[in-house]
Amino acid sequence: MSVIRLKGQADRRLRAGHQWIYSNEVDTSATPLKQFTPGDQVVVETAQGKPLGIATINPNTLICGRLMSRSTDTFLNKSTLVHRLKIALSLRELTYSAPYYRLVFGDSDGLSGLVVDRFADILVVQISTAGMERVKNEIVEALQDVVKPSAILMKNDGKMRQIEGLDTYVEEAFGTVPELVFLQENGVLFQAPVWDGQKTGWFYDHRENRKTMQGFCDGKRVLDVFSYIGGWGVQAASAGATDVTFIDASESALSHVDENLKLNQYEGASNLMHGDAFEAMQSLIEDKERFDVVVMDPPAFIARRKDIKAGEGAYHRANQLAMRLVAKGGVLVSGSCSMHLETARLHDIVRSNSRQLERFSQLIYRGTQAPDHPVHPAIEETEYLKALFYRIHNNMGL
């Protein structure tokens, strides 16, 4: 097997538990990256020639290597996939009684570049690296052996594939996958558009935060901003909200909101607002609307480090508009899926908005990603989700 050799001290991060190798950490004079084909498996060596394990390689990307094993005898093949899928499945079965969850969360499950969401007997797979793409058939076979699904959809249309030099496509790898699949979360039913929806069609990561949110909704007016297909708002409705407003830029997503409300036999009032979230919130402010619970769960405004300044500005503006819509004594849920936005910084943004608007805010709950999105202790990038709950009052002279 081919070898890549690291520069001096470049092995320290790997020894501490990380799994990524950056291209500037490779001794390219000893082992030129250009000799490799994307997806190759290689032995990783220290500068002194001591083997560290097996990695998949992509010579054309900043993260050029992903450690798949710390043994030179264990390769990324069907046997390894089956073993790690069984371990991943055991965690989810330990945590959840129903088969609706993220089955594989990339690096955190020892399968960098692979995400699998489970909707009962239907699996939706996303591959984002050349190494995983190379063993695509083995992934399908391993999933069939471990989970025994009725169908598998390859939803390989993410932005990371372009960075890795991979084609994008959405196709059935096994069986027949319907346009909409059923799922259950916190006792609430949904249909998710797995073929043409966002990511895998659903976001399981906020499960526990939505459960917490439900406790504030009985008899209340609720606003769900960036609602997608209603993950937050439909659960608020099922928890007893009397009036729920949904805002999203996708007309198709809002049509699914309406169907999901019907699926749960919601009899309260609902308002579907199609358009730009910032403009829609401003319109609600001008109409003097107020809500007992406002959920602000935007897409990642900070995709890369260079986006931090502009992204923080977007979070500031979004949360300020949301706070203006919170009724006296109401609750603001401020969420972020931007890994580059630290929890403390999001809290500081809300604090700043409180002072500017002369509101008195109290942080009452800190939420993070659900257990089916485990955090790898050595890879900070796997801890990305946050949800901060605030009770909002008028200034109270403070």
Side-chain angles (χ1 to χ4, degrees):
M1 180 170 281
S2 299
V3 171
I4 62 165
R5 181 161 291 183
L6 302 180
K7 296 177 180 177
Q9 304 299 314
D11 61 315
R12 294 175 64 182
R13 210 164 29 81
L14 295 180
R15 291 187 182 281
H18 213 293
Q19 297 168 4
W20 299 354
I21 302 167
Y22 291 93
S23 56
N24 60 5
E25 296 175 325
V26 178
D27 183 350
T28 53
S29 61
T31 53
L33 284 172
K34 63 182 180 181
Q35 67 181 303
F36 301 111
T37 301
D40 283 352
Q41 295 189 52
V42 299
V43 175
V44 182
E45 291 184 350
T46 67
Q48 293 74 38
K50 184 176 180 179
L52 293 171
I54 301 291
T56 58
I57 196 87
N58 188 336
N60 305 318
T61 55
L62 176 62
I63 303 173
C64 70
R66 295 171 185 268
L67 201 66
M68 304 308 302
S69 169
R70 294 183 184 273
S71 165
T72 55
D73 297 324
T74 302
F75 308 97
L76 182 60
N77 54 25
K78 182 183 174 182
S79 176
T80 299
L81 288 163
V82 166
H83 177 63
R84 293 185 184 176
L85 285 172
K86 286 181 177 178
I87 294 173
L89 178 61
S90 68
L91 169 62
R92 279 67 181 183
E93 291 182 335
L94 179 69
T95 310
Y96 303 111
S97 59
Y100 306 101
Y101 41 68
R102 175 147 291 183
L103 174 61
V104 176
F105 183 47
D107 296 277
S108 295
D109 287 301
L111 294 168
S112 186
L114 179 65
V115 163
V116 182
D117 276 358
R118 184 176 187 179
F119 303 93
D121 61 344
I122 294 174
L123 302 178
V124 179
V125 177
Q126 286 195 312
I127 294 172
S128 59
T129 63
M132 281 295 170
E133 185 73 12
R134 184 77 71 86
V135 294
K136 178 177 69 174
N137 293 336
E138 288 87 343
I139 291 170
V140 173
E141 292 171 4
L143 286 169
Q144 288 176 296
D145 287 355
V146 175
V147 184
K148 297 178 173 51
S150 66
I152 299 174
L153 180 69
M154 286 286 177
K155 187 74 182 297
N156 290 333
D157 57 355
K159 295 179 181 178
M160 274 295 297
R161 290 183 64 86
Q162 299 173 20
I163 295 173
E164 289 273 323
L166 300 172
D167 293 335
T168 58
Y169 59 90
V170 180
E171 65 182 26
E172 290 164 330
F174 168 70
T176 301
V177 180
E179 289 187 13
L180 298 173
V181 301
F182 284 97
L183 69 109
Q184 192 178 96
E185 184 178 288
N186 299 325
V188 183
L189 298 175
F190 291 90
Q191 284 184 314
V194 292
W195 280 87
D196 56 5
Q198 296 179 23
K199 301 294 181 71
T200 64
W202 182 252
F203 298 91
Y204 281 120
D205 51 4
H206 267 304
R207 180 199 310 256
E208 304 301 327
N209 302 320
R210 293 183 185 123
K211 184 177 181 180
T212 299
M213 179 267 312
Q214 286 182 309
F216 298 102
C217 295
D218 189 24
K220 305 298 185 180
R221 297 192 75 210
V222 177
L223 173 63
D224 183 358
V225 188
F226 299 104
S227 66
Y228 183 43
I229 64 173
W232 293 88
V234 174
Q235 292 194 42
S238 296
T242 57
D243 181 331
V244 186
T245 295
F246 301 83
I247 299 174
D248 201 85
S250 168
E251 196 167 5
S252 173
L254 288 173
S255 70
H256 293 304
V257 169
D258 196 38
E259 291 302 314
N260 285 326
L261 287 170
K262 293 175 182 176
L263 190 63
N264 291 278
Q265 301 179 333
Y266 179 58
E267 297 180 352
S270 62
N271 179 25
L272 308 180
M273 298 185 67
H274 172 228
D276 177 81
F278 294 91
E279 294 177 1
M281 284 191 287
Q282 185 62 49
S283 175
L284 289 171
I285 291 169
E286 292 170 0
D287 290 341
K288 301 188 185 308
E289 295 282 1
R290 296 295 181 269
F291 301 87
D292 302 297
V293 178
V294 176
V295 178
M296 169 57 57
D297 182 26
F301 288 146
I302 307 174
R304 298 160 295 185
R305 288 190 183 278
K306 69 177 185 178
D307 301 326
I308 288 178
K309 184 176 181 180
E312 287 186 352
Y315 280 109
H316 183 91
R317 184 180 171 213
N319 279 279
Q320 185 178 86
L321 290 168
M323 189 177 290
R324 292 173 67 185
L325 288 165
V326 179
K328 180 180 178 181
V331 173
L332 169 65
V333 179
S334 180
S336 170
C337 60
S338 295
M339 186 277 293
H340 295 295
L341 181 70
E342 295 181 356
T343 302
R345 184 66 186 117
L346 178 60
H347 179 57
D348 193 52
I349 287 171
V350 176
R351 177 204 58 77
S352 175
N353 284 325
S354 297
R355 297 306 309 132
Q356 289 180 12
L357 296 176
E358 295 189 343
R359 301 291 196 274
F360 181 75
S361 61
Q362 299 165 299
L363 178 63
I364 57 177
Y365 177 79
R366 288 186 179 93
T368 184
Q369 59 220 56
D372 56 350
H373 292 66
V375 175
H376 190 299
I379 306 177
E380 64 178 9
E381 291 83 357
T382 62
E383 186 173 10
Y384 69 98
L385 197 74
K386 61 278 300 179
L388 303 181
F389 288 53
Y390 297 87
R391 194 173 188 212
I392 308 296
H393 289 273
N394 291 339
N395 193 30
M396 294 170 39
L398 294 173

